[in-house]
Amino acid sequence: MPPSPQLFGRAVRVLVCTEKKTFVTRELAEVRVTFEGIDGDRHAGHTRPADVRTPWYPKGTPIRNTRQLSLVSTEELAVVAQTLGIPKVLASWLGANLELVGIPRLTFLPPGSRIFFPEDAVLAVEGENEPCIGPGKVIGEHHPDKEKLASRFVKAAWEKRGLVAWVDRPGVIRAGDEVRVMLPKPVTYVLPER
């Protein structure tokens, strides 16, 4: 069987949110990631409470935190901005922890993909980060002349909102780092005939 294909890109921005009352992130030159995520970030932790994304658990149930980091793509942000008719959408407005460039269709990376950074850090992709109205409200605050940006964002960012991931290996992530993506082996699952 041939090896899994690999992709390469670059980390443009590293961001963190240390305030509980907002999800908007601020830019840093580098972060150290641990098995809990980015130290001090509002999404860090081994566990998180179940919410609307996990309706199979009662709300608030402690579950494993597979949403430690949020990743977005420079290219996809540009498409969202164009669709909304605004000059740009910043990664920080979406609460992203990493903005990557050069990885085609970042949002479509399958669960189980690994993202490698030069100084040991490896992130494991959990899956797509589906858009919600919250970031749309932040975008609307920056463009009060545009109508209904909050609700329009959800449609504009569908399948372009990026990914959520968890730390597979601790290390340092810096703005400017080259990243390597290792895709998982393709899997086809078929239920047995009865």
Side-chain angles (χ1 to χ4, degrees), residues 23-72:
F23 61 86
V24 175
T25 49
R26 61 185 169 80
E27 201 167 337
L28 299 174
E30 66 180 54
V31 293
R32 176 169 293 281
V33 295
T34 70
F35 286 121
E36 291 194 17
I38 298 172
D39 187 38
D41 187 77
R42 69 173 286 167
H43 292 107
H46 287 294
T47 63
R48 69 178 184 89
D51 57 19
V52 296
R53 298 175 190 93
T54 52
W56 46 91
Y57 297 118
K59 187 176 180 183
T61 302
I63 59 174
R64 180 170 298 285
N65 185 5
T66 58
R67 301 178 61 85
Q68 293 174 337
L69 288 93
S70 168
L71 292 69
V72 295

Side-chain angles (χ1 to χ4, degrees), residues 69-171:
L69 288 93
S70 168
L71 292 69
V72 295
S73 155
T74 301
E75 295 88 349
E76 290 174 338
L77 290 178
V79 172
V80 172
Q82 183 179 23
T83 303
L84 293 174
I86 58 177
K88 61 186 172 186
V89 171
L90 299 183
S92 61
W93 297 348
L94 308 188
N97 297 113
L98 287 172
E99 180 181 339
L100 304 176
V101 68
I103 301 169
R105 301 177 67 205
L106 177 79
T107 298
F108 285 89
L109 287 181
S113 298
R114 295 296 194 271
I115 303 174
F116 293 78
F117 295 82
E119 291 188 56
D120 297 335
V122 180
L123 304 181
V125 172
E126 170 65 13
E128 182 177 352
N129 192 5
E130 294 184 358
C132 61
I133 202 165
K137 290 179 181 177
V138 174
I139 295 168
E141 290 169 8
H142 289 87
H143 297 280
D145 56 317
K146 299 285 185 180
E147 289 189 27
K148 300 182 181 178
L149 276 181
S151 58
R152 288 177 45 222
F153 168 76
V154 175
K155 186 175 180 183
W158 192 252
E159 298 184 334
K160 292 179 261 334
R161 170 66 176 86
L163 303 165
V164 290
W166 44 274
V167 177
D168 200 32
R169 182 182 184 194

